[in-house]
């Protein structure tokens, strides 16, 4: 059994539709529908990419995330729970 992929903020990536979309057509549909209906943005499946917060930032749905920048970039930790602040 593999270890869960946990984001710096504590999110379990396996529960994230954006993370799962590349492998699950129903998750991709839900993500595209959400962007279209809630944000009024038409996205293509190729734009819905995330390999997790600790993966390649070029393949992250929100590489400018404040939590990601604070933990990984500023404090050099993989998780907020690892930070002394």
């Amino acid at each position: 059994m593999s270890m869960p992929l946990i984001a710096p903020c504590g999110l379990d990536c396996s529960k994230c539709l954006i993370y799962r979309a590349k492998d699950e057509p129903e998750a991709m549909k839900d993500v595209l529908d959400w962007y279209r209906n809630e944000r009024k943005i038409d996205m293509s499946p190729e734009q819905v990419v995330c390999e997790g917060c600790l993966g390649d930032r070029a393949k992250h749905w929100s590489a400018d995330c404040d939590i990601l920048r604070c933990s990984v970039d500023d404090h050099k930790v993989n998780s907020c729970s690892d930070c002394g602040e």
Side-chain angles (χ1 to χ4, degrees), residues 6-67:
I6 305 296
C9 65
L11 176 75
D12 178 351
C13 295
S14 71
K15 296 185 184 336
C16 176
L17 288 178
I18 295 172
Y19 181 78
R20 293 178 12 222
K22 67 183 177 292
D23 297 319
E24 298 178 22
E26 190 61 32
M28 179 64 76
K29 179 188 177 310
D30 290 346
V31 170
L32 294 174
D33 286 348
W34 183 86
Y35 272 104
R36 189 176 305 107
N37 297 327
E38 299 297 324
R39 300 289 185 188
K40 309 301 182 217
I41 299 171
D42 281 323
M43 295 182 68
S44 69
E46 294 78 26
Q47 292 174 289
V48 180
V49 178
C50 185
E51 292 187 2
C53 289
L54 302 178
D56 183 350
R57 291 269 180 101
K59 297 177 181 176
H60 188 277
W61 72 277
S62 182
D64 63 343
C65 170
D66 289 337
I67 295 170

